[in-house]
Amino acid sequence: MEKIIDGKIISQNIREEIFSKASAFKASTGIIPGLALMIVGNDPASEVYVGMKAKTCEKLGFYSLIERLPETTSQEQVLAMIDEWNNRPDIHGILVQMPLPKHVSDMEVIKRINPDKDVDGFHPVNVGKLVAGIPCLQACTPAGIMELLKRSNVSLKGKHAVVLGRSNIVGKPIANLLYQKNKDANAIVTICHTAAPDIAYYTRQADVLIAAAGAAEIIKRDMIKEGVVIIDVGTNRVEAPDTEKGYRLTGDVDFNDVYDKVSLITPVPGGVGPMTITMLMYNTLEAAIMQSR
Ligand code: GUN
């Protein structure tokens, strides 16, 4: 039986659904979903991610713009740009790529974005709605994980889901989505983090393990239960001198070590990764639809 959850295929299917829905929306309203992207500084990884986001917009027929601001940009200047985008009717989604320079506060920037345009789902209003089970723009990676589970027919009801990691981008929102009382969730959730004296004590109990610790291949076969479903959110660079780039990407899970013990697993790359941008596109379209009403 196929054990691999293929994020590329699932992502492609969702992109086709988004394309159809966006085309119908465009035909009936004349509105083209628009996404504004900001990078502050010269982080090469951020440049790659933002480039991929803009390219995906183009493929789906969305409008996008990229604002590249120098490392020395003040917080006031960043906030002024957001104010401008908040007021532009052709921009439905705003994304400020993290990390930001140290002199710019992530939270001040996130708080300035109109929650209706917060396609990252990071604004406290959207975080609060998510916790309360109110429909909202959801953080892209967690929303993508829920889609992977749903489309792989993983039933979560009454299952023990263990989340490794407590970041605002992944750990906290995915934990909150997993226990919600709805047909696609309803799991029993444990959040495990760096203060745990022995993470294996928790991971061994998992029916579904969400690994978002950001540490390369820390999950080994003796740390999991037979038949577990593993979602590996890690994208860690490890040195690989014999490769062209000098590094390879690997997850938080030792894939080869655990493979014969799991019932399903996402690979890295090609698992969660492609879903993040797909859900960003989903959010941008939903934001455009919401703002047209
Ligand atoms: N940096 C790493 N992941 C993300 C993300 O999901 N959104 C933004 N804005 N920045 C990031």
Side-chain angles (χ1 to χ4, degrees):
M1 205 192 84
E2 181 58 82
K3 287 188 181 189
I4 292 181
I5 298 179
D6 190 330
K8 282 184 288 192
I9 291 178
I10 293 175
S11 180
Q12 191 52 41
N13 291 340
I14 298 174
R15 285 183 196 195
E16 282 164 20
E17 293 166 17
I18 296 169
F19 183 78
S20 302
K21 193 171 176 182
S23 303
F25 174 64
K26 238 184 273 183
S28 66
T29 63
I31 297 169
I32 295 172
L35 175 64
L37 301 152
M38 190 194 297
I39 309 186
V40 188
N42 303 306
D43 181 52
S46 291
E47 187 59 46
V48 172
Y49 289 134
V50 167
M52 284 164 64
K53 289 167 185 178
K55 204 169 155 193
T56 312
C57 280
E58 196 182 321
K59 281 189 190 154
L60 291 176
F62 292 10
Y63 165 70
S64 74
L65 67 86
I66 304 179
E67 185 72 36
R68 292 182 176 82
L69 299 173
E71 182 83 20
T72 52
T73 307
S74 70
Q75 180 166 301
E76 282 312 309
Q77 288 169 305
V78 172
L79 297 178
M81 189 85 248
I82 292 172
D83 289 342
E84 191 185 314
W85 289 347
N86 279 337
N87 290 320
R88 269 179 65 170
D90 60 332
I91 290 174
H92 308 99
I94 296 174
L95 183 142
V96 179
Q97 188 67 26
M98 306 293 168
L100 287 166
K102 284 196 186 65
H103 63 274
V104 182
S105 155
D106 293 4
M107 201 32 91
E108 288 308 312
V109 170
I110 290 165
K111 276 165 39 190
R112 193 68 158 242
I113 298 170
N114 175 346
D116 292 343
K117 296 192 178 188
D118 168 38
V119 284
D120 259 327
F122 292 166
H123 192 289
V125 165
N126 287 318
V127 175
K129 285 183 173 177
L130 181 135
V131 172
I134 298 168
C136 62
L137 293 167
Q138 298 180 351
C140 301
T141 301
I145 293 170
M146 296 305 285
E147 285 295 325
L148 288 175
L149 291 168
K150 182 179 170 181
R151 289 169 191 250
S152 305
N153 300 313
V154 175
S155 167
L156 291 167
K157 185 179 177 185
K159 298 285 169 56
H160 190 182
V162 176
V163 177
L164 203 55
R166 56 176 155 183
S167 69
N168 288 339
I169 296 181
V170 183
K172 286 181 200 168
I174 189 61
N176 280 286
L177 286 169
L178 286 163
Y179 68 68
Q180 290 295 326
K181 195 169 182 178
N182 64 55
K183 67 176 174 45
D184 299 322
N186 223 351
I188 316 303
V189 178
T190 297
I191 304 174
C192 181
H193 48 74
T194 47
D198 176 17
I199 61 166
Y201 171 79
Y202 300 97
T203 58
R204 276 189 205 112
Q205 299 176 43
D207 299 311
V208 177
L209 178 63
I210 313 289
E217 297 175 355
I218 55 169
I219 302 297
K220 308 287 184 189
R221 61 177 290 120
D222 64 334
M223 296 166 71
I224 57 166
K225 185 160 81 174
E226 188 84 40
V228 64
V229 173
I230 298 185
I231 303 292
D232 190 352
V233 191
T235 36
N236 309 291
R237 279 187 185 193
V238 295
E239 279 185 37
D242 48 347
T243 63
E244 198 180 314
K245 289 180 176 162
Y247 67 87
R248 66 185 171 88
L249 280 187
T250 188
D252 291 353
V253 178
D254 189 336
F255 185 92
N256 293 326
D257 197 43
V258 303
Y259 187 78
D260 65 351
K261 216 174 165 185
V262 306
S263 65
L264 287 170
I265 185 166
T266 58
V268 177
V272 174
M275 295 298 289
T276 299
I277 295 183
T278 297
M279 299 316 287
L280 174 67
M281 298 299 120
Y282 176 88
N283 281 350
T284 302
L285 175 57
E286 291 305 309
I289 293 171
M290 197 160 52
Q291 286 159 49
S292 73
R293 289 188 179 132

